[in-house]
Every structure is written in structure tokens, then in C-alpha cells.
Amino acid sequence: MSVTLHVCITCRAGQTLAEGELAPGARLHAALLEAGVPDDVNLVPVECLSACSQGCSVALSAPGRWSYVYGRLSADNARDVIAGASAYAAAPDGIVPWRSRPEIFRKQSLARIPPLAVVPEAAE
């Protein structure tokens, strides 16, 4: 099962951008593409993760797994984000052992969200 790596491409990371300048979030997305996203990770650009005061942010999620939001990232962190996403993809519940996480995922976690409970549909 693949996991989803959402990347906020509109993040300005507190910067004022010149006309036509790429936002830091868009630069992070481009760096992730350039670094090579594994087949089991679906990279999805999004317009806002509402972590604006935390710099560039990404979110990892998959059905039945814990989800995570990480912030204070830049294009320079692309390889570590890919490594963290790969470790997340390999963890059946989404919980990667602390020592197996890239340092930025240990120190720059903004949120951990429990898996959504599956509610059976009401019988007709």
C-alpha cells in the first residue's frame, strides 16, 4: 500500500517573494521530485497545510496509520524527507521507531494524528 506525502507548495517560510519567484514550499516540492520519490510514496502538492508560522511543511498519511505533519523544512532537507517517507511506508502502523527516523523528523514534528476509525455503515 502506498503512502501519501503532501507538500505545501504555497509556503513562503516567512519570506517576501519577488515577482515570479518560486515559494520555498514549491522549491521543496521540486527538490523532492529531483531526489527521487520511491514507488511506494505518492507525492502530492497542496496549497496549504495551515502550518504557516512553521516554515515549509509536509504531511505523511496512509489508511489505517498514524499521520504526521513536519515543519521548518527547506529544499535542502529533500533527501531526509524522502528517507523519512520511506521509513514511514515500511511501518505497518505508521509509527517509525525513534532511532530509525531522520533527525529532522525527530525534531521538527508538528503533529501526530491517530488513524481514523472505520465506522461500519448502518444496516438497512
Side-chain angles (χ1 to χ4, degrees), residues 4-11 22-37 41-47 49 56-59 73-79 81-82:
T4 301
L5 174 61
H6 290 96
V7 181
C8 178
I9 59 170
T10 56
C11 180
L22 274 180
R27 290 196 300 264
L28 173 58
H29 181 260
L32 290 167
L33 286 172
E34 187 176 313
V37 180
V41 176
N42 183 27
L43 181 63
V44 178
V46 295
E47 292 202 0
L49 288 173
C56 296
S57 58
V58 301
L73 302 171
S74 73
D76 293 338
N77 301 124
R79 293 202 185 281
V81 171
I82 294 295

Side-chain angles (χ1 to χ4, degrees), residues 5 8 21-22 32 34 39-40 50 52 55 66-67 75 78 81 91 96 106 120:
L5 174 61
C8 178
E21 183 180 2
L22 274 180
L32 290 167
E34 187 176 313
D39 290 338
D40 55 355
S50 289
C52 303
W66 284 82
S67 297
V81 171
V96 177
R106 285 185 236 154

Side-chain angles (χ1 to χ4, degrees), residues 3 62-68 87-97 112-115:
V3 301
R65 297 182 191 203
W66 284 82
S67 297
Y68 293 86
Y88 178 83
D93 58 2
I95 300 174
V96 177
R112 183 173 102 135
I113 304 156

